[in-house]
């Protein structure tokens, strides 16, 4: 699929030039690469924008490749938002979109995305990403700019309140055992240490030696649980939990959500789970 990817872009843009795509609404048309970006966009856009997400619910954005139809739709967007790193396909597409599409790389000017793309799990970073989205919306749809600003301001206040909840939870200095090393930004923000069974990419199963090592460390330190991302499944976590006689608990990366929940809901649920390690 990767070998023919550039060809799909060319074919899609050719189809677009022939008038094969029709926009059904006068509202600003916004496309996002995956769920976290989709939720940020709908939070700022509200009823004044139509938000379309490219990666289907329940699909890992790491491995996704768009179809020719996806690219054709993107070429008619007013705004296209992607994170960078986790959605490598989006970077390729963005370079080939018409100049009429306002492209937003929400992680631009935020450090560390090459080593760990899960930048939105840091509450401050999430706020910065939303500000980038707000600025793009206010420029692309100036008539509704005040509404976008009002939503941004309201949500910033809610994020500040949630940050205080995290700060007051007593998480600093705690060790977080996880199957997937995707929580580095969250740990950095609130002074936790992440111990991961597998790396950031999570593209290969851990070896028996790795499994044994983390089980031994969990037992030695008396950790009460190991966390897993529900989007990836709980298989590895259940094995470790069984061997170490602890719980396996969900901790969301917000790459996707089958229940269509928003960022605040997910991050507050994550906080409730993290309180188990206090």
């Amino acid at each position: 699929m990767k070998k023919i990817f550039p060809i799909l872009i060319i074919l899609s843009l050719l189809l677009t030039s022939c008038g094969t795509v029709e926009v059904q609404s006068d509202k600003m048309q916004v496309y996002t690469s995956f769920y976290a970006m989709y939720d940020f966009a709908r939070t700022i856009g509200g009823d004044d924008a139509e938000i379309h997400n490219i990666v289907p619910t329940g699909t890992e954005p790491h491995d996704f490749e768009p179809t020719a139809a996806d690219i054709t739709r993107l070429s008619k967007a007013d705004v296209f938002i992607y994170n960078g790193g986790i959605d490598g396909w989006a970077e390729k597409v963005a370079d080939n979109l018409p100049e009429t599409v306002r492209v937003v790389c929400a992680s631009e000017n935020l450090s560390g995305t090459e080593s760990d793309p899960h930048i939105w799990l840091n509450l401050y970073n999430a706020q910065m990403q939303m500000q980038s989205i707000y600025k793009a919306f206010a420029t692309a749809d100036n008539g509704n700019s005040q509404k976008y600003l009002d939503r941004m301001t309201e949500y910033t206040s809610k994020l500040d309140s949630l940050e205080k909840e995290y700060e007051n939870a007593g998480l600093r200095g705690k060790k977080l055992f996880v199957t997937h090393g995707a929580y580095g930004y969250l740990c950095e923000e609130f002074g936790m240490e992440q111990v991961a069974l597998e790396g950031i990419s999570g593209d290969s199963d851990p070896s028996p030696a790795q499994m044994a090592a983390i089980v031994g460390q969990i037992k030695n330190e008396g950790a009460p649980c190991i966390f897993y991302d529900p989007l990836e499944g709980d298989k590895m976590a259940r094995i470790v939990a069984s061997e170490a006689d602890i719980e396996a608990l969900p901790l969301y990366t917000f790459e996707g959500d089958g229940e269509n929940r928003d960022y605040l809901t997910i991050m507050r649920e994550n906080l409730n789970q993290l309180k188990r390690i206090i």
Side-chain angles (χ1 to χ4, degrees):
M1 183 68 179
K2 291 181 179 179
K3 293 181 180 179
I4 65 171
F5 187 59
I7 298 175
L8 286 180
I9 295 175
I10 295 170
L11 289 175
S12 300
L13 295 179
L14 286 173
L15 287 172
T16 301
S17 67
C18 296
T20 58
V21 178
E22 295 182 4
V23 177
Q24 301 296 322
S25 172
D26 291 333
K27 293 182 180 180
M28 179 173 60
Q29 298 296 304
V30 179
Y31 282 78
T32 58
S33 59
F34 70 103
Y35 191 77
M37 299 299 101
Y38 167 77
D39 180 68
F40 292 172
R42 68 178 177 177
T43 296
I44 305 302
D47 294 332
D48 298 299
E50 285 196 359
I51 317 296
H52 312 273
N53 195 34
I54 297 294
V55 176
T57 300
T59 301
E60 274 281 356
H62 303 78
D63 306 322
F64 179 79
E65 292 287 2
T67 65
D70 290 330
I71 299 168
T72 301
R73 288 193 293 271
L74 278 172
S75 69
K76 285 293 186 179
D78 294 305
V79 181
F80 174 46
I81 302 163
Y82 70 98
N83 181 79
I86 195 170
D87 44 12
W89 64 268
E91 299 176 52
K92 300 173 188 176
V93 171
D95 289 339
N96 292 276
L97 290 175
E99 293 182 0
T100 53
V101 182
R102 185 174 299 276
V103 176
V104 179
C105 177
S107 63
E108 190 172 10
N109 300 322
L110 294 174
S111 62
T113 53
E114 289 185 6
S115 60
D116 182 356
H118 303 85
I119 196 165
W120 62 90
L121 290 178
N122 176 296
L123 298 179
Y124 173 79
N125 286 344
Q127 182 176 327
M128 293 300 99
Q129 290 188 304
M130 288 186 184
Q131 284 190 6
S132 295
I133 293 169
Y134 151 68
K135 290 176 182 178
F137 284 8
T139 302
D141 184 20
N142 185 258
N144 287 311
S145 60
Q146 186 61 49
K147 293 182 182 179
Y148 300 136
L149 177 59
D150 290 344
R151 294 187 191 106
M152 180 72 233
T153 302
E154 179 182 3
Y155 209 78
T156 295
S157 177
K158 293 178 180 179
L159 284 171
D160 289 343
S161 296
L162 181 58
E163 182 182 9
K164 291 177 182 178
E165 291 180 40
Y166 267 86
E167 288 288 3
N168 295 332
L171 296 171
R172 294 196 175 274
K174 299 300 180 181
K175 193 164 289 186
L176 183 69
F177 287 90
V178 298
T179 56
H180 180 194
Y183 308 94
Y185 290 108
L186 180 64
C187 289
E188 180 182 22
E189 185 174 19
F190 298 109
M192 297 177 287
E193 179 185 350
Q194 175 181 245
V195 180
L197 181 59
E198 57 185 4
I200 293 169
S201 63
D203 55 3
S204 61
D205 289 337
S207 68
Q210 289 173 306
M211 297 281 284
I214 201 165
V215 167
Q217 188 175 358
I218 286 171
K219 288 181 176 180
N220 289 338
E221 300 192 18
C225 57
I226 184 168
F227 295 102
Y228 64 91
D229 179 16
L231 189 62
E232 293 189 334
D234 61 357
K235 179 182 176 182
M236 292 294 105
R238 296 294 177 192
I239 293 172
V240 170
S242 177
E243 291 293 323
D245 194 24
I246 59 171
E247 289 186 282
L249 300 174
L251 194 67
Y252 299 93
T253 60
F254 205 54
E255 293 175 17
D257 187 66
E259 298 179 41
N260 203 34
R261 292 172 291 184
D262 68 0
Y263 183 74
L264 286 172
T265 300
I266 288 294
M267 293 304 288
R268 187 163 279 113
E269 176 63 24
N270 279 350
L271 176 58
N272 290 335
Q273 296 288 55
L274 290 169
K275 288 178 180 179
R276 304 292 289 272
I277 66 175
I278 299 172

